[in-house]
Amino acid sequence: MIVAPPQHDAHKSGILAKFRLFSPILAGATLKERLIGCLGALVGICLTGFVTSVFMGHDPHLPLIVAPVGASAVLLFAVPASPLAQPWSIVGGNMVSAFVGVTVATLVRDPAIAIGLAVALAILAMSLTRSLHPPGGAAALTAVIGGAAVARAGFWFPIVPVGINSALLVLLGIAFHRFSGRQYPHKQAVAPVNTHKTADPPAAFRVGFNTEDIDAAVASFNETLDISRADLDVLLRQVELQALKRQRGDLVCADIMSRDVVTVTAEVSAEEARSRLLDHDIRTLPVLDREGRLLGTVGLRELAAMAPASPLPISQARTASSGDPAIGLLPHLTDGTIHAVVVTDDNNRVVGIISQTDLLATLAKSLSRTGPTGLMSGHGQGI
């Protein structure tokens, strides 16, 4: 039976549809993020102007801060993950474009031609130097129509004040984002490698889409996207994982974890830990402190090269909570390096462990209940 939506909901949807052009088009563009961006721009621009005035003085013949820096602040504080907002894009893009603008203003006397030529050549120069930055177009334009002060500065203009303003803004942006708990400069996702040093791609990447598929999909849009291919790859794989969690999220870690966990304390020798691994035919041991809290893990691979009396080579443990979706462990247990995920409680005490075998057995059972269309063929909703 199809149930019609309530009349007020339909009316609300109609109103929203009329004003869809005013809706945010950037993913993650929440009010909180925008307010943080506003605060960052306030601090960044004010301090950039203040520091510039301290070092340069109030020169009446040279602008204290150039207008394109305001546009750079929008990118730096509102969309810091954008490739167009990275340090080299801001500093290099503004300086290169300003230099192009000054050069065009020197060689071309017709303002109508100079303004268009400056912006066009700035785009080309930024593209060639991998410093594409939209405010760079404004920097090039300012160099042409900036008036007597800019003309007097000549080829110093790309350095003072454009370069100084841009570098100060970037330094303040790095400090602000670090203080607010955000990552800047943006670290591009690293392409996965096969940890076994063979030519095969990592196990998780042998099915599904690959980089060629991403390139083909991007090419089909016939436009430039403001995201790197590596970040797009990570995003799409995270989408796949979220879809799996939604479809199979009713199975949690507590349902499949081993509860009788073999552990060692940090005081035992490498020989004793290796013996315990071999006795129980396992590959990972949680290491506990004297109060029984998790310190990390030790594996057979690390112990193989250790002298018998050596201290344990403890590695950071990959952990989960008992209520986490079990399907969410797939990326960890298929990366070629992690063989088990330790399940801990709120006090960091070990309550279970999930190995690759545990997850594989669960997935095999799930597949046996799945029909040819990928949907569960049984009457129940559990896996």
Side-chain angles (χ1 to χ4, degrees), residues 164-176:
I164 292 177
N165 287 168
S166 302
L168 283 173
L169 185 69
V170 166
L171 291 175
L172 292 168
I174 292 173
F176 177 83

Side-chain angles (χ1 to χ4, degrees), residues 258-259 261-263 286-288 292-296 342-345 347-353:
S258 300
R259 300 173 185 272
V261 184
V262 181
T263 63
V287 182
L288 311 181
R293 290 185 292 267
L294 181 67
L295 289 176
V342 183
V343 184
T344 58
D345 61 15
N347 297 316
N348 201 34
R349 297 183 184 277
V350 177
V351 296
I353 192 168

Side-chain angles (χ1 to χ4, degrees), residues 4-371:
Q7 185 175 0
H8 69 277
D9 288 346
H11 178 67
K12 181 179 179 181
S13 300
I15 294 176
L16 292 176
K18 292 179 181 179
F19 292 95
R20 63 184 180 276
L21 293 178
F22 299 94
S23 301
I25 60 173
L26 294 176
T30 62
L31 178 60
K32 177 183 176 182
E33 292 298 321
R34 287 293 172 261
L35 291 177
I36 292 175
C38 292
L39 178 61
L42 172 65
V43 174
I45 293 295
C46 289
L47 286 181
T48 297
F50 173 74
V51 174
T52 304
S53 67
V54 170
F55 285 95
M56 294 175 50
H58 296 279
D59 187 348
H61 302 295
L62 195 65
L64 181 67
I65 188 168
V66 288
V69 172
S72 297
V74 174
L75 290 171
L76 174 60
F77 295 105
V79 282
S82 168
L84 307 177
Q86 301 314 298
W88 171 239
S89 295
I90 294 177
V91 178
N94 283 335
M95 291 185 66
V96 166
S97 299
F99 178 80
V100 169
V102 172
T103 302
V104 170
T106 303
L107 300 177
V108 181
R109 296 302 179 184
D110 187 343
I113 298 177
I115 55 177
L117 194 60
V119 175
L121 291 179
I123 295 174
L124 176 61
M126 287 188 290
S127 299
L128 293 176
T129 57
R130 301 179 64 86
S131 61
L132 192 62
H133 186 57
L141 196 61
T142 302
V144 176
I145 63 173
V150 175
R152 191 179 298 110
F155 284 97
W156 279 104
F157 178 70
I159 302 174
V160 182
V162 174
I164 292 177
N165 287 168
S166 302
L168 283 173
L169 185 69
V170 166
L171 291 175
L172 292 168
I174 292 173
F176 177 83
H177 284 299
R178 183 166 299 178
F179 179 78
S180 61
R182 283 158 180 78
Q183 183 189 85
Y184 183 84
H186 176 65
K187 293 182 180 179
Q188 185 170 292
V190 179
V193 296
N194 191 324
T195 57
H196 302 296
K197 299 180 181 179
T198 63
D200 293 317
F205 292 79
R206 295 173 194 169
V207 295
F209 63 86
N210 54 32
T211 54
E212 289 77 13
D213 297 327
I214 295 176
D215 289 340
V218 171
S220 69
F221 280 92
N222 197 30
E223 58 182 287
T224 302
L225 302 181
D226 189 10
I227 183 173
S228 68
R229 186 181 71 175
D231 286 343
L232 188 58
D233 187 308
V234 172
L235 176 62
L236 292 176
R237 296 190 188 281
Q238 187 62 28
V239 169
E240 284 187 330
L241 178 61
Q242 294 301 323
L244 274 174
K245 288 182 179 179
R246 174 175 52 81
Q247 296 166 0
R248 307 289 173 88
D250 54 341
L251 191 70
V252 297
C253 292
D255 297 327
I256 68 171
M257 68 184 186
S258 300
R259 300 173 185 272
D260 185 13
V261 184
V262 181
T263 63
V264 292
T265 61
E267 290 76 21
V268 305
S269 65
E271 177 61 29
E272 183 176 345
R274 182 164 50 233
S275 175
R276 193 164 301 186
L277 283 167
L278 294 174
D279 287 345
H280 291 274
D281 195 20
I282 53 180
R283 302 180 67 178
T284 302
L285 278 176
V287 182
L288 311 181
D289 63 14
R290 294 181 178 180
E291 284 73 35
R293 290 185 292 267
L294 181 67
L295 289 176
T297 59
V298 64
L300 193 58
R301 178 174 16 182
E302 294 83 1
L303 292 172
M306 302 294 296
S310 300
L312 292 182
I314 303 174
S315 303
Q316 183 177 2
R318 192 63 59 90
T319 61
S321 299
S322 58
D324 290 343
I327 204 72
L329 304 184
L330 264 176
H332 306 311
L333 294 177
T334 57
D335 64 0
T337 59
I338 305 298
H339 302 292
V341 173
V342 183
V343 184
T344 58
D345 61 15
D346 295 337
N347 297 316
N348 201 34
R349 297 183 184 277
V350 177
V351 296
I353 192 168
I354 298 175
S355 67
Q356 293 170 321
T357 304
D358 296 328
L359 189 59
L360 179 61
T362 300
L363 292 176
K365 185 176 181 181
S366 173
L367 290 173
S368 69
R369 296 183 180 182
T370 304

